[in-house]
Amino acid sequence: MKVELIVLRELHMRLKAPFETSFGVTQDRRILLVEVVADGLAGWGEVTAGETPSYNPETTGTAWHIISEFIAPRLLGKTVASPEEFPAMVAAIRGHEMAKAAVENALWDIAAQHRNLPLARLLGGKLDEIACGVSLGIRENPKALVQKVEEELAGGYRRIKLKIKPGKDVEYVSAVRSAFPDILLSVDGNSAYTLDDASHLKKFDDLRLLMIEQPLYWDDIYAHSKLQSQLETAICLDESITSYRAASTAIELGACRIINIKLGRVGGHTEARALEQLCRSHSLPVWCGGMLESGIGRAHNIAMSTLPGFTLPGDVSASRRYWEDDIIEPDVKVSSRGTIRVPEATGLGFSVRRDLINSLSVRSEEWSACTVGV
Ligand code: OSB
Ligand code: MG
């Protein structure tokens, strides 16, 4: 495919409710969409970076800078035989996986349309539906949290993940566990603890959790290996698994027993697929993480979640949990059995609502191959 046009758009989208994690509260999202046109086909990707560098170092602003100054010029006018060639094309750009992933994933959407296949099938995924969980933000008190969990369980979700931070952890999670003794329950610390908190974190061992996600430093693997050896609860690494290499280090050191794969964090479908194979070969369960995505990012997450290593319910949930009006059609729906049906249409499998995207856009820029060098 020959890349003719790249369009970058920033959308402002307000979440239905504020989402609180150990690193802050988010409600107003600044979402960057990448549209790539090649051979007359349009492909879409979403930058999953936050508004602030609080989850990892990337932001909406850094991704705009990296895509416009460094990635677009490398890709425009080039002929790309497969999206798997893309990582090598941008290897000279250090880091910025979320910026790279948005562009690479748009190429995957095009490649799937080229082959007349749903993206899930092009990636090698076999599932017709995927299992869904939810990630619940920190609440004002344990009672409010229990009420929210009850609501989500009634919606069919198969796994509940609770955000925690020091001072709002064991008491909250215990309340949920007492109210729902048998559900799949996990917690996510988003790097709010240190190795000195090991004895405190050990209290979670009594709560029969599926996992504790990234309790320690965002960029660490080694300290997690020391913590994992002291805990019965499985550690799941999120923030610090930025690549295949990071995952092999974590597996070799015994730093975790579960990994969550986020397309943005690892740089796109090519790396995500390699990671899924690595984890599968070590019998390490994986699941798809979420970054409060719009429908475009969500559609990519659904496709990735059909790969065989994704054996645990992911943080991929219904559009209506996040948005009044999602930018894809139909929006993402979850069945009463807590599953999402994998679309059968080619490419992303959803149509993109261009009018809505235009009305939500606050800035856009485009680069066209014909104007290069003129
Ligand atoms: O750590 O998984 C995380 C949202 C923003 C940043 C980091 C995380 C999250 C979530 C939300 O947990 C998952 C979702 O519902 O998209
Ligand atoms: Mg997490």
Side-chain angles (χ1 to χ4, degrees):
M1 50 184 140
K2 181 157 191 259
V3 177
E4 296 150 14
L5 179 71
I6 301 171
V7 188
L8 196 52
R9 296 179 178 88
E10 178 176 341
L11 276 55
H12 284 187
M13 289 178 75
R14 170 159 263 233
L15 292 165
K16 278 186 169 177
F19 185 72
E20 181 173 350
T21 67
S22 65
F23 58 74
V25 181
T26 307
Q27 183 157 25
D28 290 303
R29 299 279 353 262
R30 291 176 58 195
I31 287 176
L32 276 195
L33 296 181
V34 176
E35 181 186 5
V36 176
V37 178
D39 306 340
L41 297 169
W44 292 82
E46 175 172 342
V47 173
T48 62
E51 293 67 40
T52 58
S54 327
Y55 163 81
N56 73 358
E58 293 190 78
T59 68
T60 311
T62 66
W64 183 285
H65 168 64
I66 293 294
I67 293 170
S68 60
E69 300 286 325
F70 303 104
I71 298 178
R74 276 181 168 74
L75 188 63
L76 205 60
K78 297 275 165 55
T79 298
V80 185
S82 153
E84 289 174 284
E85 292 177 2
F86 180 80
M89 294 172 73
V90 293
I93 304 165
R94 302 273 162 93
H96 299 284
E97 288 80 10
M98 290 172 163
K100 292 173 180 171
V103 181
E104 187 192 307
N105 293 349
L107 295 176
W108 278 98
D109 180 13
I110 297 171
Q113 294 174 56
H114 244 295
R115 303 268 306 271
N116 235 332
L117 286 172
L119 178 56
R121 302 298 167 246
L122 179 64
L123 291 170
K126 301 270 190 288
L127 298 179
D128 294 327
E129 56 178 15
I130 63 162
C132 313
V134 287
S135 171
L136 300 183
I138 295 167
R139 306 278 140 167
E140 49 286 10
N141 55 58
K143 189 161 167 251
L145 181 61
V146 170
Q147 224 161 53
K148 186 69 188 164
V149 170
E150 187 169 9
E151 203 179 290
E152 301 291 3
L153 291 170
Y157 287 102
R158 295 190 180 188
R159 185 230 59 209
I160 303 288
K161 158 172 144 185
L162 309 174
K163 291 291 191 179
I164 54 167
K165 67 177 181 183
K168 288 197 155 195
D169 50 21
V170 177
E171 187 197 351
Y172 284 66
V173 183
S174 302
V176 172
R177 180 45 97 204
S178 310
F180 308 102
D182 300 320
I183 60 169
L184 279 186
L185 185 64
S186 67
V187 297
D188 188 353
N190 285 112
S191 308
Y193 299 87
T194 73
L195 209 43
D196 293 337
D197 298 314
S199 59
H200 176 67
L201 294 169
K202 249 196 104 44
K203 295 179 192 155
F204 285 114
D205 280 348
D206 296 332
L207 296 173
R208 292 173 292 112
L209 301 180
L210 180 59
M211 68 192 110
I212 173 165
E213 196 177 329
Q214 199 79 26
L216 309 179
Y217 330 96
W218 69 276
D219 59 348
D220 166 82
I221 292 172
Y222 182 61
H224 281 100
S225 74
K226 291 187 151 181
L227 180 64
Q228 181 66 90
S229 64
Q230 299 173 55
L231 295 183
E232 276 164 42
T233 308
I235 290 177
C236 168
L237 289 180
D238 173 353
E239 281 87 334
S240 54
I241 304 301
T242 53
S243 64
Y244 178 96
R245 279 189 305 102
S248 9
T249 305
I251 293 171
E252 201 164 312
L253 290 179
C256 60
R257 296 189 200 128
I258 297 174
I259 283 178
N260 109 25
I261 301 183
K262 288 182 180 169
L263 277 166
R265 197 193 64 222
V266 307
H269 282 296
T270 303
E271 191 78 4
R273 226 162 39 151
L275 250 142
E276 180 266 345
Q277 277 168 28
L278 172 76
C279 293
R280 192 149 40 91
S281 72
H282 285 87
S283 304
L284 212 84
V286 304
W287 54 278
C288 177
M291 291 295 290
L292 309 172
E293 289 94 342
S294 80
I296 305 264
R298 202 165 295 282
H300 279 286
N301 286 342
I302 294 169
M304 175 176 76
S305 303
T306 62
L307 295 173
F310 287 77
T311 54
L312 293 172
D315 278 350
V316 188
S317 37
S319 296
R320 58 184 289 266
R321 289 193 65 247
Y322 305 84
W323 318 109
E324 283 306 339
D325 224 4
D326 203 347
I327 58 174
I328 54 167
E329 225 162 29
D331 68 354
V332 174
K333 293 190 179 60
V334 169
S335 73
S336 56
R337 294 176 299 108
T339 58
I340 294 173
R341 273 214 80 70
V342 178
E344 282 158 21
T346 61
L348 278 187
F350 295 85
S351 34
V352 171
R353 298 176 64 185
R354 285 183 182 272
D355 290 349
L356 182 58
I357 288 174
N358 287 339
S359 70
L360 296 170
S361 290
V362 296
R363 60 170 166 164
S364 69
E365 194 169 344
E366 61 177 69
W367 300 271
S368 149
C370 10
T371 59
V372 168
V374 172

